[in-house]
């Protein structure tokens, strides 16, 4: 048995089999490249599922983490620390929710849990009784814990775990009438991804997002936008809702927030900061510890200082143009969708996306899938034109093989 397959076997023997892993043992990263244990190099267009926004070993990032390790890893939330001040202020300023407040979590799904609790508590405070309903979208993805799963619009994720949280109704994404039809006097919140990720890379239409904001204003509902995947520069904006000119009442973030350190957050606007979660309503032992916050503070500093959002906006036309050319040359590509560096190529049914991903690996390209048959491209935000050209040329080879 080779050393690589030996490592894979050890993992299969030790870990619960909840993932079908690709046959590669990754060892280290540098820039926008990953290397396996045999030294083979891969151009990374997955970024650890839209997490490694700065690639690997971005200048200054490792140093900031190491400095915090040498100082203090963890204190609990019973005390103040400087990294929380920096991370909180920088995140708030990116959200542009005046008077807002941040709660740090360890993951995306926990950010959703907190957002759902904040929305329910807001309704409870206003109406004096519990029992609120939430409207979520079909084909949405919000996470794997029970609350987040309850608002995730894919039946096969949910069914084995029912009954889940009650009072959730599903509407059709980008169909405002279907949302209106679900509103009752019990409704307290609407939750949606600004750009659906796992569901297959579907951006909200401007009319839909603006319509949700209007419905929430009319009915005193909380608008929760899940930007765990599409936020923090992936679309070229700090948050994707800024491209639409729409303000949520709560935004959730994670993935790129720590650029590799597990951390998430939900941010509430001034209205919810004043009348939703208070002392004793919510908590976390680890969430927002000094180490995680040092990572967030550094990542957000780099985003601003090195003009990462501007870079994404500048390169997006080239990225989409190259993908459109690829789509025009290959009838196996049915459609391209996306915003910024969050792009999807939907393949025709006779071209399984898994096969394309498998073919790309030996050619030195890492890509992932989304939805039913969508090739998902979510590279580090620091890629250049050359990397895009290489990706397109490898994908073109993979799509030509039959
Ligand atoms: C990944 C993701 C989540 C869940 O985040 P975890 O960190 O895996 O818990 C929730 N919502 C969206 C939109 C995501 O992409």
């Amino acid at each position: 048995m080779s050393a690589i397959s030996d490592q894979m076997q050890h993992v299969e023997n030790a870990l619960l089999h909840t993932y079908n892993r690709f046959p590669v043992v990754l060892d280290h990263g540098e820039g926008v490249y990953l290397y396996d244990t045999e030294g083979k190099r891969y151009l990374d267009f997955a970024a650890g599922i839209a997490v490694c926004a700065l690639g690997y070993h971005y200048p200054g990032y490792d140093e900031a983490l190491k400095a915090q390790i040498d100082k203090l890893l963890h204190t609990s939330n019973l005390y103040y620390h400087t990294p929380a001040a920096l991370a909180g202020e920088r995140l708030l300023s990116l959200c542009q929710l005046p008077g807002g407040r941040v709660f740090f979590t360890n993951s995306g799904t926990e950010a959703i849990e907190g957002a759902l609790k904040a929305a329910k508590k807001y309704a409870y405070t206003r109406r004096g009784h519990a029992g609120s309903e939430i409207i979520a979208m079909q084909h949405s993805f919000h996470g794997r814990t029970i609350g987040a799963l309850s608002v995730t619009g894919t039946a096969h994720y949910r069914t084995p775990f029912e009954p889940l949280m009650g009072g959730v109704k599903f509407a059709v994404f980008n169909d405002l009438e279907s949302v209106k039809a679900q509103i009752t006097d019990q409704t307290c919140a609407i939750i949606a991804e600004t750009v659906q990720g796992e569901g297959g890379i579907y951006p909200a239409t401007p009319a839909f997002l603006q319509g949700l904001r209007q419905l929430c204003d009319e009915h005193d509902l909380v608008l929760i936008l899940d930007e765990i995947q599409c936020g923090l520069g992936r679309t070229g904006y700090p948050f994707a809702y800024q491209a639409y000119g729409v303000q949520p009442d709560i935004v959730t973030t994670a993935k790129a927030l720590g650029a590799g350190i597990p951390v998430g957050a939900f941010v509430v606007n001034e209205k919810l900061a004043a009348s939703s979660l208070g002392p004793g309503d919510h908590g976390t032992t680890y969430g927002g510890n000094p180490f995680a916050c040092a990572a967030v503070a550094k990542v957000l500093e780099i985003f601003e200082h090195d003009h990462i959002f501007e870079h994404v906006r500048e390169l997006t036309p080239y990225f989409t143009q190259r993908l459109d050319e690829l789509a025009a040359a290959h009838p196996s590509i049915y459609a391209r969708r996306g915003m910024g560096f969050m792009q999807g190529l939907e393949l025709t049914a006779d071209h399984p996306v898994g096969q394309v991903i498998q073919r790309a690996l030996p050619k030195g390209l890492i890509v992932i899938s989304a939805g039913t048959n969508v090739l998902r491209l979510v590279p580090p935000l620091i890629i250049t034109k050359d990397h895009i050209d290489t990706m397109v040329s490898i994908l073109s080879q993979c799509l030509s093989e039959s």
Side-chain angles (χ1 to χ4, degrees):
M1 215 192 277
S2 81
I4 284 195
S5 63
D6 198 40
Q7 289 305 310
M8 299 194 303
Q9 201 54 54
H10 280 294
V11 168
E12 290 303 335
N13 291 344
L15 304 190
L16 194 62
H17 190 181
T18 51
Y19 281 92
N20 291 316
R21 294 170 207 272
F22 292 107
V24 53
V25 184
L26 294 174
D27 184 68
H28 61 281
E30 190 57 52
V32 297
Y33 294 98
L34 285 163
Y35 295 81
D36 69 18
T37 44
E38 301 201 322
K40 182 176 169 57
R41 188 177 88 157
Y42 303 85
L43 177 60
D44 182 14
F45 263 69
I49 319 187
V51 167
C52 305
L54 298 173
Y56 306 93
H57 306 296
Y58 191 91
Y61 175 73
D62 295 6
E63 291 78 0
L65 296 185
K66 287 173 186 166
Q68 190 59 45
I69 289 174
D70 288 338
K71 279 185 159 176
L72 185 64
L73 279 177
H74 180 80
T75 59
S76 86
N77 281 305
L78 301 177
Y79 312 96
Y80 294 97
H81 53 80
T82 310
L86 288 174
E89 278 176 5
R90 285 179 190 160
L91 181 56
L92 260 188
S93 98
L94 284 182
C95 293
Q96 292 168 18
L97 299 177
R101 294 286 188 274
V102 179
F103 185 99
F104 284 111
T105 66
N106 307 293
S107 65
T109 200
E110 285 171 79
I112 297 290
E113 298 294 325
L116 296 174
K117 282 181 70 177
K120 280 174 174 269
K121 179 75 193 298
Y122 174 76
Y124 177 81
T125 310
R126 302 276 280 205
R127 298 166 187 182
H129 61 84
S132 299
E133 293 175 355
I134 291 168
I135 300 173
M137 302 302 143
Q138 289 175 11
H139 305 296
S140 62
F141 181 83
H142 299 294
R144 305 290 196 155
T145 53
I146 297 293
L149 192 58
S150 304
V151 290
T152 287
T154 305
H156 73 259
Y157 288 148
R158 285 201 319 272
T159 309
F161 308 103
E162 286 174 341
L164 293 167
M165 182 179 80
V168 179
K169 294 176 165 182
F170 288 96
V172 180
F173 188 66
N174 278 340
D175 179 346
L176 204 57
E177 289 307 314
S178 89
V179 178
K180 269 186 208 164
Q182 303 284 15
I183 296 176
T184 71
D185 53 11
Q186 295 297 308
T187 309
C188 80
I190 300 176
I191 181 167
E193 292 149 273
T194 315
V195 182
Q196 286 194 336
E198 302 301 312
I201 317 292
Y202 288 93
T205 61
F208 182 67
L209 214 62
Q210 285 151 14
L212 289 186
R213 179 69 271 171
Q214 205 178 335
L215 283 179
C216 288
D217 290 341
E218 282 166 17
H219 297 270
D220 193 20
L221 310 179
V222 175
L223 179 60
I224 305 171
L225 290 181
D226 180 353
E227 296 231 2
I228 288 169
Q229 189 161 163
C230 65
L232 291 174
R234 187 137 295 279
T235 66
Y237 293 82
F239 287 92
Y241 57 75
Q242 288 155 357
Y244 294 80
V246 169
Q247 300 270 82
D249 298 298
I250 307 179
V251 58
T252 57
T253 175
K255 292 200 163 88
L257 185 60
I261 298 303
V263 57
F266 65 95
V267 184
V268 302
N269 68 4
E270 187 168 26
K271 181 177 80 177
L272 269 89
S275 58
S276 65
L277 301 175
D281 281 332
H282 199 50
T284 166
T285 301
Y286 265 135
N289 82 7
F291 185 60
C293 283
V296 173
K298 191 64 192 179
V299 167
L300 300 186
E301 180 195 297
I302 291 170
F303 278 175
E304 188 184 337
H305 192 262
D306 293 357
H307 307 291
I308 302 294
F309 307 141
E310 291 84 347
H311 173 72
V312 174
R313 279 208 297 276
E314 257 169 49
L315 214 57
T316 293
Y318 187 76
F319 193 6
T320 54
Q321 178 207 323
R322 293 305 323 266
L323 291 177
D324 286 341
E325 286 165 12
L326 185 73
H330 294 276
S332 50
I333 299 175
Y334 167 75
R336 175 190 68 79
R337 290 187 296 268
M339 274 175 79
F341 286 8
M342 184 172 178
Q343 294 289 331
L345 297 173
E346 182 168 343
L347 305 182
T348 53
D350 52 330
H351 282 81
V353 65
Q355 200 175 60
V356 177
I357 294 170
Q358 294 273 3
R359 285 175 183 167
L361 270 181
K363 295 181 172 58
L365 174 69
I366 289 190
V367 284
I368 51 176
S369 67
T372 17
N373 208 26
V374 178
L375 195 71
R376 171 167 35 165
L377 303 163
V378 283
L381 304 182
I382 56 170
I383 52 160
T384 63
K385 283 186 176 177
D386 284 348
H387 301 128
I388 293 172
D389 291 344
T390 305
M391 174 273 294
V392 166
S393 134
I394 295 177
L395 280 187
S396 182
Q397 291 168 40
C398 296
L399 291 164
S400 300
E401 291 169 21
S402 58

